[in-house]
Amino acid sequence: MKGITGNEKVMQYYERNKKSVEKMMRWDIFDLQYKLPASILRMPYEMLNRLNRNKLKEAADDLVASIRHEDYILSDEPMQSLDLFLMARK
């Protein structure tokens, strides 16, 4: 198993996204994200996620527009990566 990680630009975007999500989650005073079933949270999650990403895209700098697929890297450390990448053979 491998991981997908990013270069400095990708990690900077990741940290901005994380901070923005934390600001939104302050309003979840009843911890509904942990108490409600995923089927109920799916639609509001997708809507808020889209709003958050659009907000980051419209930020004053060009960070989001400058990220390309070449900025993502295959890593041998899946636990420190943004996502997992599994290669299997039959």
Side-chain angles (χ1 to χ4, degrees):
M1 181 167 323
K2 295 189 179 266
I4 302 291
T5 190
N7 63 13
E8 188 175 319
K9 283 193 298 187
V10 171
M11 297 314 291
Q12 185 179 6
Y13 171 79
Y14 175 77
E15 287 302 318
R16 284 187 188 179
N17 187 45
K18 186 176 173 183
K19 287 178 185 176
S20 183
V21 168
E22 286 172 358
K23 285 181 185 178
M24 279 193 272
M25 289 295 98
R26 287 188 311 200
W27 298 100
D28 186 14
I29 58 174
F30 299 113
D31 286 331
L32 295 177
Q33 64 177 324
Y34 301 111
K35 296 175 181 173
L36 294 176
S39 59
I40 293 175
L41 291 173
R42 188 167 292 121
M43 187 179 296
Y45 171 81
E46 289 177 7
M47 187 176 67
L48 289 171
N49 193 26
R50 187 173 309 247
L51 287 172
N52 182 45
R53 289 183 185 205
N54 286 337
K55 186 180 92 175
L56 290 172
K57 181 180 173 186
E58 294 168 1
D61 60 35
D62 296 325
L63 176 64
V64 177
S66 70
I67 295 175
R68 302 280 179 240
H69 70 277
E70 295 95 358
D71 295 321
Y72 291 91
I73 305 160
L74 194 60
S75 168
D76 289 327
E77 299 177 11
M79 299 310 288
Q80 286 78 32
S81 298
L82 299 172
D83 210 344
L84 298 177
F85 184 81
L86 179 67
M87 296 179 288
R89 293 183 191 190
K90 182 174 178 182

